[in-house]
Amino acid sequence: MRKFMVVLDDSRECLNAMRYAAMRAARTQGGVKVLSVIPPEEFNHWLGVGDLMREEHRERIEAHFEVFAKWMRDKQGVDPELVIREGEPVAEIIAQVTEDPEVGVLVLGAASDRKGPGPLVTQLTKSAGSLPIPITIVPGDMSKERLEKIT
């Protein structure tokens, strides 16, 4: 089954990327893989403190994921899968799409402010030519109604 992989982070544009991935998966009998990356610099503390912080971060990710997962299951009939990796976000995203043959499309949300589309979109589009899958970039300020029409 082809899966749409979407990155779960704290950005506002993440919401539209999640919506798009779930709606496309539902309409194409695909699946959704949600990737969250824990950056390594967050745990450069004493060993015990770093382990506790890592576990708390994972719990926050899982709680955040469950909000999206419930909506995907209830509204789209899609049961998403969560993958948590640790490392540099762009490197871990590239590693996941390279290692996972089920992932068919990477879905990213683009910020709509003056600063640009966001660091992930900026960095990953530079690598797009060497990725084994296409990237779909979803505008962060696109309405739910418009997303429904295009998916």
Side-chain angles (χ1 to χ4, degrees):
M1 168 190 330
R2 176 180 71 158
K3 293 189 178 181
F4 293 84
M5 189 176 91
V6 62
V7 178
L8 174 63
D9 58 21
D10 293 329
S11 68
R12 284 187 21 203
E13 56 271 13
C14 171
L15 175 61
N16 267 3
M18 288 285 177
R19 286 178 178 152
Y20 180 89
M23 287 189 263
R24 286 294 300 144
R27 286 168 178 76
T28 61
Q29 289 78 46
V32 174
K33 186 163 288 200
V34 177
L35 173 67
S36 188
V37 180
I38 302 171
E41 67 270 3
E42 295 191 18
F43 307 112
N44 288 337
H45 300 283
W46 297 292
L47 186 60
V49 175
D51 289 344
L52 181 60
M53 290 175 67
R54 183 178 290 107
E55 185 57 35
E56 288 172 355
H57 200 99
R58 285 181 174 276
E59 289 172 6
R60 276 194 316 274
I61 289 169
E62 289 169 0
H64 199 179
F65 167 76
E66 277 308 315
V67 171
F68 288 114
K70 181 175 181 357
W71 175 82
M72 288 183 195
R73 287 189 291 268
D74 294 351
K75 301 292 183 187
Q76 301 301 322
V78 173
D79 191 21
E81 174 187 347
L82 175 64
V83 175
I84 300 174
R85 295 179 73 123
E86 293 184 29
E88 295 300 326
V90 171
E92 293 303 323
I93 293 166
I94 291 171
Q96 186 68 35
V97 301
T98 302
E99 296 166 7
D100 190 341
E102 289 185 321
V103 176
V105 178
L106 173 60
V107 180
L108 300 173
S112 56
D113 58 26
R114 293 181 185 189
K115 296 178 187 172
L120 291 182
V121 172
T122 301
Q123 293 174 18
L124 285 165
T125 54
K126 291 177 183 175
S127 303
S130 62
L131 290 177
I133 61 171
I135 299 174
T136 298
I137 300 173
V138 182
D141 61 355
M142 186 176 280
S143 70
K144 272 195 294 188
E145 295 76 25
R146 181 75 178 128
L147 277 171
E148 288 171 357
K149 287 180 183 176
I150 65 171
T151 56

